[in-house]
Amino acid sequence: NAGVMQNPRHLVRRRGQEARLRCSPVKGHSHVYWYRQLPEEGLKFMVYLQKENIIDESGMPKERFSAEFPKEGPSILRIQQVVRGDSAAYFCASSPARQAHQPQHFGDGTRLSIL
Amino acid sequence: AQKITQTQPGMFVQEKEAVTLDCTYDTSDPSYGLFWYKQPSSGEMIFLIYQGSYDQQNATEGRYSLNFQKARKSANLVISASQLGDSAMYFCAMRENFGNEKLTFGTGTRLTIIP
């Protein structure tokens, strides 16, 4: 069974461009989480989605960032008008129906570099 | 207050020795889970071990064990018989039942195994 798939693995953008990061959860998982990791730091929660619903976006910047998890297709994290400070590794994780005591399965991450 | 505290930024351990990575946590939620993840230099997040707040026994997974001391709010990871491949960043994380299932991570410990 395939794990969480993220693409691209590496993404380079110039300041002001848009970045789209994709995440396909483990088959059968309906919960998706996005995290951001700045260099030499731990992962920080951004947003939690279920199919077609944003459940918790308390960790996501209010401007330029958006996330979706449509009924069909992968979850998308979208960053508009990127700035140098957006350079980070972005990880997606998935889990089955709400289970507090199950591990989240992470993808390999997308390394976003802003020139 | 930090929810997860890892006080050891870096550790050097001789190959084949045991190593303990410290983690303390802070929560008022009676139901929570504690996780350890390994992040090698290639960047992926690898789930190692889980401990539930109501579990009576310490979790073990192969060479990994979790020294769970609930009253002290600590969940230290013990790696027995360390190997060169254990060199990586190690993150402690907590998932609170009332926290919408998101993981809160510590800042990590960089473990280096010396041959």
Side-chain angles (χ1 to χ4, degrees):
Chain A
N1 287 330
V4 177
M5 303 298 292
Q6 288 189 251
N7 67 82
R9 187 74 193 269
H10 299 275
L11 181 61
V12 179
R13 285 287 178 265
R14 295 189 181 278
R15 281 178 294 170
Q17 291 184 322
E18 179 180 288
R20 279 182 176 244
L21 288 62
R22 294 174 183 76
C23 168
S24 296
V26 172
K27 189 174 181 180
H29 286 190
S30 57
H31 295 225
V32 164
Y33 308 79
W34 285 93
Y35 295 83
R36 177 164 66 175
Q37 184 180 30
L38 295 172
E40 303 302 317
E41 294 188 10
L43 278 69
K44 295 277 188 346
F45 167 78
M46 298 181 73
V47 61
Y48 162 36
L49 310 102
Q50 294 178 22
K51 284 285 187 181
E52 300 184 277
N53 288 304
I54 296 174
I55 306 301
D56 182 353
E57 55 183 349
S58 60
M60 199 145 76
K62 295 285 185 280
E63 296 179 354
R64 301 188 297 108
F65 285 72
S66 62
E68 62 177 13
F69 188 16
K71 188 176 180 181
E72 302 290 339
S75 175
I76 306 286
L77 179 68
R78 183 181 176 205
I79 311 172
Q80 295 178 291
Q81 299 175 341
V82 296
V83 300
R84 288 251 169 90
D86 297 333
S87 294
Y90 292 83
F91 287 91
C92 170
S94 73
S95 66
R98 185 179 178 127
Q99 295 181 15
H101 299 281
Q102 295 297 318
Q104 293 178 3
H105 300 268
F106 282 85
D108 288 345
T110 293
R111 273 90 189 148
L112 176 64
S113 298
I114 309 302
L115 301 180
Chain B
Q2 292 288 332
K3 283 201 175 235
I4 297 286
T5 302
Q6 295 181 254
T7 57
Q8 306 152 309
M11 288 188 71
F12 291 84
V13 172
Q14 204 73 39
E15 191 180 5
K16 298 179 184 165
E17 289 186 351
V19 56
T20 298
L21 305 181
D22 295 341
C23 173
T24 58
Y25 60 92
D26 182 30
T27 182
S28 56
D29 191 337
S31 177
Y32 53 90
L34 296 157
F35 303 81
W36 277 91
Y37 286 86
K38 173 184 179 181
Q39 187 176 42
S41 56
S42 49
E44 68 269 30
M45 294 292 288
I46 302 168
F47 165 72
L48 294 178
I49 196 166
Y50 157 80
Q51 180 84 43
S53 56
Y54 294 122
D55 292 344
Q56 295 297 313
Q57 293 191 332
N58 287 343
T60 60
E61 288 286 349
R63 292 187 300 112
Y64 304 109
S65 60
L66 204 151
N67 183 1
F68 181 46
Q69 298 188 41
K70 194 170 182 177
R72 297 178 60 183
K73 293 189 174 179
S74 75
N76 298 340
L77 175 70
V78 180
I79 306 174
S80 63
S82 57
Q83 302 170 357
L84 295 178
D86 294 333
S87 294
M89 282 291 287
Y90 288 81
F91 291 100
C92 179
M94 177 171 63
R95 198 175 188 182
E96 295 164 282
N97 196 45
F98 298 141
N100 258 334
E101 317 304 327
K102 61 179 178 279
L103 288 170
T104 301
F105 284 83
T107 51
T109 296
R110 184 175 298 279
L111 176 64
T112 303
I113 307 300
I114 305 166

